[in-house]
Amino acid sequence: MLMQTDTRADTRPDPAVMARPTPVLALDGITKTFPGVRALSNVTLKLYAGEVTALVGENGAGKSTVVKTLTGIYQPSAGRILLDGKEIRFASAQAAADAGITAIHQETVLFDELSVAENIFLGHAPRGRFGLIDWAQTHARAREILQGIGSDLAPTARLRDLGIASKHMVAIARALSIDARVVIMDEPTAALSHKEIHELYELVDTLKAQGKAILFISHKFDEIFRIADNYTVFRDGQFIGDGRIEDTDNDALVQMMVGREVAHVFPKRSPSHGDDVLSVTDYSHPTEFEDISFSLKQGEILGFYGLVGAGRSEVMQSLFGITRPSGGAIRIDGAAQQIRSPAEAIAAGIVYVPEDRGHQGAITALPIFQNVTLPSLGRTSRRGFLRLAEEFALARQYCERLELRAASLDTELGTLSGGNQQKVVIAKWLATQPRVIILDEPTKGIDIGSKAAVHDFMAELAAQGLAVIMVSSEIPEVLGMSDRIIVMREGRMAAELSGDEMTPETLVRHAAGITQALTETRT
Amino acid sequence: MSILKARETILAGAILALLLLIATRFPAFVSPGNLAAVFNDTSPLILLALGQMVVILTKCIDLSVAANLALTGMCTAMLNIAFPGLPVAALLLIAVALGTVMGMINGLLVWKLDIPSIVVTLGTMTIFRGIIFLISEGKWVNSHEMSDAFKAFPRAELLGLPMLSWIAIVTVAAFFVLMTRTALGRAVYAVGGNPNAAVYTGIDVGRTRFAAYTISGALAGLTGYLWVSRYAVAYVDIAGGFELDTVAAAVIGGVSIAGGIGSVAGAVLGALFLGVIKNALPVVGISPFWQLAISGAAIILAVAFNAKAGKTKGRIILRKAETAA
């Protein structure tokens, strides 16, 4: 099996490597750091003309950072980008586009009110005399590009009148309207139907035949094995290995993606739990999820794992009353509950600590104590009037419990660091004295030390009898913290795992939809 | 909080400096009697600026306040003609009720139809003015048609101050309590400060905005009667453009147009600042054009100052930026 764990291994004279042509585009030892975070660490990536390279990795492996580095949005902190073997620097997104690198994103920005041709050529339309746009040429070239990808859309059609699949074609045509040599496809099939996916595969074959180098980012193993020629695996911003797709299989890729070592120690927890607190049956939403059923005991931590977009957060937001379900039932302590708003969820004892705490959690212009007491004002009021002394007491009680460091509880929340703001947001929810606490990606974007503190704290909450739901995309965290794990895929429950079933491999398999049959045919 | 306080202290200082400057040439302007008169003249603006402040705090705007005022004023004036015996207390109640209903209409449209507030209130502003034209047939209601009791109320003195001033003072006190000591006041700040977070905290954003518009409407209605009885005239265009003065007062007073930041003291000081300029310039002998220009400059200065104060809260990443600043 080909598993290079060190980038220097590439420089060894290997006949197979020596025989390959110079990559059109290569990343050599690229490192990208952000304040406090190392997103990419000395990674290598090679893209060859007329070949598809699949970039594989878990959420947070650094795939998006690579795309942004290749398209000139990020400048690498160290390392070289090589175009035809010559070092090049992309000072801007425009510079990368001029070099012939184009990306088709998951959600491409298109303009509904403009025509197909205008969308394709916006910003670089063919110019005629006096620098005015040459419409005849614009339309002719748009038609040409669309025909090249097998689409017969009219260049004059207005985008708002088109369906999603046609819009996607326009996005691809836009990407190809610059004379692209390298095409990056970032999860291009995420929003497509089965039929459209097959059309996309044909398009990829067309682009290959035209000699373009393609970087294909996908979580779906079946499509990686269907269209890729090469693979590269990243994990936690590190290059793990690469090679020809025919030299590997499902099991080997999964191994490389998840690794083996568990980096840090998770808190020890009691295996015994209390009575059922929350039970959810056949919970469904018209567009986001279907048939979600689970129960949760006092003192238990239930992990929700899945790929980004699997519908985990959507389920939680619905349980919390942000969106209305189309069917199903919620019981708390055995009693059926109707939850139609977050206020009703809080009253029923369910709280939700959102993933995006800046956007959905913190009110930075308000003082710390007012952030903490906001959902609990009913308890600190007398005859409709707020009692500041009681508010301060409540806020102090929970801020001390979370060991918040702040000069005064009267200072604006915005003056605190991100980690301390997170503590205030959690203090706010604990102050409501909930039965069930839902933590959505509780450790996303925080450093290792703070992560351990959050994990200890979750264990403590569970020990105190709270029922905890943790949505997480980090495999070690899900495995290390959860008593049981529900894996979601495409809005449905793919598996409910407990005990010995909880392994990195089973998680990845269920999340990516790798069936046992597929694995057997390949091994 | 300290920044907010500092902002209001600076504004109060600016008003004092302005008064001192005027006093050097026209000492009579700062006599207690004249200052009380200036306050009384500014009272309608204070009342409306408070309502506008609550609405702006929720990330909305109410452009219909002046039209609401004019319509309520016309209704009370016509009621006074039709039923001269109607006591002032009843008229006050009717005025507040009418204004409240108009505010509720704004609030419902913003809440249930999810239309941008500037569009909703631009629409209702025009509709309210149109209704005045319909009910009055474009005619004026003049002083001699109004009963003496109707006209006397805002002027009636209590402890040396006219009722109009007292109503403003009591309203300011009530708003201070509302904004700092009630769950609704807190919800208003939360909704404007971060609507998404407010939703996740169990606050109904739409309902809170509805409440803000209702409050703004009630104050506009109350001011409608006071305005018409004080000036003893009602017609289609009274208080034309006054809605922008209320926005100006709030903004000069440090209320963030993006919502979530602002205080009762700030809005009141903003209104007083405009009131002093409006009353002082004719005394000093400066043309009304300069009054507009000075008000406009004050708005831009206040916003620029607030934006700068808000920016320094961010993290400074570049070392050179730190030394440059």
Side-chain angles (χ1 to χ4, degrees):
Chain A
M1 198 191 338
L2 197 93
M3 261 185 71
Q4 297 159 336
T5 49
D6 187 338
T7 50
R8 277 168 300 181
D10 293 331
T11 57
R12 262 180 294 176
D14 178 330
V17 173
M18 294 284 283
R20 307 219 54 187
T22 311
V24 176
L25 189 67
L27 295 183
D28 179 23
I30 291 286
T31 295
K32 175 69 188 170
T33 54
F34 296 101
V37 188
R38 182 171 283 230
L40 290 177
S41 177
N42 195 24
V43 299
T44 299
L45 178 69
K46 301 193 196 75
L47 305 177
Y48 298 96
E51 293 185 6
V52 176
T53 302
L55 181 56
V56 188
E58 275 300 303
N59 300 328
K63 300 182 303 263
S64 315
T65 314
V66 162
V67 173
K68 287 182 175 161
T69 306
L70 286 174
T71 51
I73 294 166
Y74 289 164
Q75 317 304 322
S77 312
R80 301 185 303 159
I81 301 175
L82 302 170
L83 187 70
D84 294 321
K86 287 193 285 289
E87 189 172 349
I88 188 167
R89 287 178 58 87
F90 300 135
S92 65
Q94 189 60 46
D98 291 344
I101 298 166
T102 187
I104 300 163
H105 294 287
Q106 290 171 35
E107 295 143 12
T108 308
V109 185
L110 292 173
F111 301 88
D112 261 354
E113 295 300 324
L114 299 183
S115 74
V116 168
E118 283 169 317
N119 266 291
I120 293 174
F121 285 106
L122 194 70
H124 56 275
R127 298 300 175 96
R129 255 188 292 175
F130 312 120
L132 298 176
I133 293 173
D134 182 343
W135 285 110
Q137 216 201 323
T138 302
H139 286 133
R141 282 199 49 206
R143 191 182 303 278
E144 202 178 297
I145 295 167
L146 285 166
Q147 278 167 356
I149 57 174
S151 166
D152 54 0
L153 281 175
T156 50
R158 254 216 298 180
L159 203 72
R160 68 145 72 231
D161 301 327
L162 304 180
I164 298 212
S166 301
K167 283 184 183 171
H168 199 71
M169 278 300 181
V170 174
I172 293 171
R174 172 166 175 80
L176 298 178
S177 65
I178 65 164
D179 200 10
R181 300 181 61 208
V182 176
V183 180
I184 299 166
M185 296 182 153
D186 191 356
E187 296 203 45
T189 61
L192 298 187
S193 71
H194 197 66
K195 180 170 165 283
E196 289 157 3
I197 289 173
H198 276 274
E199 286 170 8
L200 186 87
Y201 290 166
E202 284 168 25
L203 172 66
V204 170
D205 288 337
T206 311
L207 296 176
K208 268 172 74 171
Q210 291 169 7
K212 299 193 193 307
I214 297 163
L215 178 65
F216 194 87
I217 297 174
S218 174
H219 281 109
K220 300 178 186 165
F221 275 48
D222 54 342
E223 73 188 28
I224 291 169
F225 282 98
R226 158 72 177 74
I227 65 167
D229 301 294
N230 313 300
Y231 69 88
T232 297
V233 181
F234 283 6
R235 185 174 69 227
D236 301 331
Q238 310 250 358
F239 172 86
I240 301 300
D242 61 7
R244 301 289 293 176
I245 205 83
E246 61 259 29
D247 298 333
T248 187
D249 57 31
N250 271 326
D251 292 329
L253 279 187
V254 169
Q255 280 293 327
M256 291 169 83
M257 277 169 69
V258 300
R260 271 183 224 87
E261 75 282 30
V262 175
H264 84 261
V265 181
F266 289 91
K268 283 255 181 292
R269 307 202 10 255
S270 150
S272 65
H273 308 303
D275 298 330
D276 269 4
V277 177
L278 173 70
S279 91
V280 175
T281 41
D282 299 330
Y283 210 55
S284 299
H285 183 275
T287 55
E288 310 280 10
F289 53 84
E290 207 165 61
D291 297 335
I292 307 296
S293 299
F294 64 89
S295 64
L296 183 60
K297 290 182 169 55
Q298 244 184 343
E300 191 180 28
I301 297 179
L302 176 63
F304 266 75
Y305 179 76
L307 301 174
V308 170
R312 294 167 298 163
S313 297
E314 287 76 6
V315 172
M316 300 311 151
Q317 288 175 1
S318 189
L319 287 177
F320 188 58
I322 303 267
T323 56
R324 294 282 188 89
S326 59
I330 301 174
R331 286 171 175 277
I332 292 172
D333 295 328
Q337 295 279 346
Q338 281 282 333
I339 293 176
R340 286 160 302 198
S341 70
E344 289 184 356
I346 294 166
I350 300 179
V351 299
Y352 175 74
V353 181
E355 170 185 353
D356 182 356
R357 59 180 179 276
H359 193 225
Q360 298 167 334
I363 299 170
T364 50
L366 283 187
I368 295 168
F369 82 95
Q370 293 189 7
N371 268 281
V372 174
T373 56
L374 204 50
S376 312
L377 289 179
R379 283 194 287 131
T380 60
S381 308
R382 291 285 178 284
R383 289 185 218 94
F385 290 100
L386 305 177
R387 313 247 287 199
L388 294 192
E390 285 184 33
E391 278 192 57
F392 264 106
L394 185 71
R396 186 169 298 121
Q397 180 190 342
Y398 284 93
C399 286
E400 272 172 11
R401 199 170 142 194
L402 285 159
E403 292 166 4
L404 178 81
R405 272 180 262 282
S408 153
L409 293 181
D410 202 18
T411 55
E412 280 175 49
L413 182 62
T415 59
L416 296 187
S417 70
N420 278 322
Q421 286 191 19
Q422 168 97 326
K423 285 182 182 172
V424 172
V425 171
I426 292 176
K428 166 170 83 175
W429 292 123
L430 293 183
T432 67
Q433 299 173 334
R435 307 288 324 273
V436 179
I437 186 163
I438 303 170
L439 300 160
D440 199 342
E441 302 283 2
T443 63
K444 191 178 182 183
I446 66 177
D447 60 85
I448 305 268
S450 307
K451 272 186 187 180
V454 171
H455 291 150
D456 288 343
F457 181 69
M458 279 170 67
E460 198 187 313
L461 289 182
Q464 286 164 3
L466 236 76
V468 180
I469 294 177
M470 176 186 67
V471 174
S472 174
S473 300
E474 287 184 39
I475 289 176
E477 177 172 274
V478 174
L479 292 174
M481 292 305 301
S482 311
D483 298 302
R484 274 184 301 139
I485 298 171
I486 287 173
V487 183
M488 282 190 67
R489 178 164 53 86
E490 291 170 4
R492 289 184 175 80
M493 283 172 63
E496 184 173 338
L497 307 170
S498 57
D500 294 341
E501 299 165 320
M502 303 196 326
T503 65
E505 286 78 8
T506 48
L507 283 187
V508 171
R509 270 175 206 288
H510 287 295
I514 306 168
T515 58
Q516 211 57 41
L518 183 72
T519 327
E520 277 159 13
T521 55
R522 292 212 59 103
T523 45
Chain B
M1 286 305 260
S2 60
I3 296 173
L4 284 179
K5 289 214 174 91
R7 201 177 283 158
E8 282 123 27
T9 319
I10 289 169
L11 185 55
I15 294 171
L16 278 179
L18 197 64
L19 287 174
L20 282 174
L21 192 72
I22 299 162
T24 55
R25 300 282 303 278
F26 304 91
F29 190 82
V30 293
S31 69
N34 191 57
L35 287 180
V38 170
F39 179 81
N40 194 51
D41 187 60
T42 313
S43 292
L45 181 59
I46 291 175
L47 290 171
L48 293 191
L50 287 172
Q52 189 69 263
M53 175 197 72
V54 177
V55 173
I56 293 178
L57 278 175
T58 67
K59 254 185 167 52
C60 288
I61 198 159
D62 189 351
L63 295 182
S64 72
V65 279
N68 182 335
L69 175 162
L71 177 51
T72 315
M74 177 58 82
C75 288
T76 50
M78 290 176 75
L79 273 173
N80 180 242
I81 296 172
F83 310 100
L86 213 57
V88 170
L91 281 172
L92 275 171
L93 220 63
I94 290 168
V96 171
L98 272 175
T100 303
V101 168
M102 284 186 260
M104 287 164 98
I105 292 171
N106 282 329
L108 276 176
L109 289 171
V110 169
W111 179 14
K112 294 297 179 186
L113 298 186
D114 211 10
I115 309 173
S117 62
I118 192 165
V119 180
V120 166
T121 56
L122 197 61
T124 53
M125 170 179 107
T126 316
I127 292 168
F128 295 162
R129 291 274 180 202
I131 294 172
I132 307 173
F133 194 88
L134 282 179
I135 60 173
S136 68
E137 295 167 333
K139 292 196 203 88
W140 289 38
V141 178
N142 287 309
S143 177
H144 66 271
E145 296 169 271
M146 298 172 183
S147 74
D148 289 339
F150 182 88
K151 289 180 284 188
F153 176 72
R155 282 172 237 277
E157 288 199 0
L158 184 72
L159 304 172
L161 275 180
M163 279 316 281
L164 180 58
S165 294
W166 279 116
I167 287 177
I169 290 167
V170 168
T171 308
V172 169
F175 264 69
F176 184 77
V177 173
L178 174 75
M179 298 312 289
T180 60
R181 291 290 186 277
T182 70
L184 175 62
R186 195 63 64 73
V188 163
Y189 282 103
V191 163
N194 187 343
N196 282 299
V199 168
Y200 281 87
T201 312
I203 293 169
D204 191 323
V205 172
R207 196 184 293 272
T208 307
R209 288 184 172 150
F210 172 76
Y213 275 105
T214 305
I215 290 168
S216 174
L219 284 175
L222 172 67
T223 315
Y225 162 68
L226 296 172
W227 186 291
V228 166
S229 56
R230 177 168 182 244
Y231 293 106
V233 65
Y235 55 95
V236 173
D237 290 325
I238 60 165
F242 201 62
E243 62 275 349
L244 297 183
D245 289 14
T246 67
V247 176
V251 168
I252 291 172
V255 177
S256 166
I257 204 78
I261 301 172
S263 69
V264 171
V268 171
L269 287 170
L272 285 175
F273 181 81
L274 289 178
V276 168
I277 288 179
K278 175 174 165 247
N279 283 281
L281 293 186
V283 176
V284 182
I286 294 175
S287 83
F289 167 76
W290 284 108
Q291 181 193 328
L292 292 177
I294 291 172
S295 305
I299 293 171
I300 294 170
L301 270 173
V303 172
F305 176 78
N306 289 342
K308 204 163 173 355
K311 253 183 210 143
T312 51
K313 280 191 294 184
R315 204 157 49 96
I316 294 168
I317 294 168
L318 291 176
R319 192 163 286 278
K320 65 181 179 200
E322 203 168 11
T323 50

